[in-house]
Amino acid sequence: TAAGVVAPDRYARAYRSGATTPAAVAEALLAAVPRLEAALGRVFAHCDAAAVRAQAAAATRRFAAGAPRSVFDGVPVAVKDMIAVAGFPKYSGAFPSGRGPEPSDDPVVARLRDAGAIVVGATVMTEFGISPIGWNAHYGGCLLYTSPSPRD
């Protein structure tokens, strides 16, 4: 699929069939992050591998019990650094100034978690989201996907 994007229902089918597990997908994703960042620039402003593994393990247990929460259960998601994720600092692409972790999730993140999605991290973005050029003076270039084909 284009840029490695996989529809949530494909994850659910793979998990139900036993072709893979949320834990295996999470490990593959965590292993890919350093390679992506080496090739393309910084991807995550914040990523907590231990939390990703814990969420993936819980989703794996739900699938093993035949009780996934929704089609999003076990699906890895990333959110922009301007959306509050409990336990992550939120910088909105600005200089990390010692701001502490957010006390709670924004509603969209809370709903994704309730559905069983694995919140992988907060992605790098341009400062305050006001530049279309994909550059951040504090993090360097942001990962911007441009499709080689309008059909992707």
Side-chain angles (χ1 to χ4, degrees):
T1 60
V5 175
V6 178
D9 64 313
R10 291 184 66 190
Y11 282 105
R13 282 194 306 260
Y15 297 157
R16 281 193 308 269
S17 73
T20 192
T21 65
V25 167
E27 286 302 325
L29 188 143
L30 291 170
V33 170
R35 292 191 309 270
L36 283 172
E37 290 187 336
L40 302 170
R42 189 149 178 201
V43 176
F44 288 104
H46 188 80
C47 175
D48 181 346
V52 170
R53 289 184 176 103
Q55 293 171 80
T60 298
R61 287 190 299 274
R62 289 190 295 272
F63 272 95
R69 291 181 179 172
S70 75
V71 71
F72 289 102
D73 205 349
V75 175
V77 297
V79 297
K80 283 291 186 190
D81 183 31
M82 65 192 303
I83 298 172
V85 176
F88 289 4
K90 181 176 80 172
Y91 301 124
S92 297
F95 184 73
S97 59
R99 182 178 174 151
E102 291 295 313
S104 61
D105 291 328
D106 273 351
V108 67
V109 176
R111 288 184 177 150
L112 285 165
R113 285 192 202 273
D114 288 346
I118 299 169
V119 180
V120 176
T123 59
V124 171
M125 58 181 281
T126 58
E127 275 191 289
F128 305 110
I130 59 173
S131 172
I133 62 172
W135 178 256
N136 183 301
H138 310 296
Y139 297 118
C142 298
L143 176 63
L144 298 176
Y145 174 73
T146 54
S147 172
S149 165
R151 294 182 189 268
D152 284 346

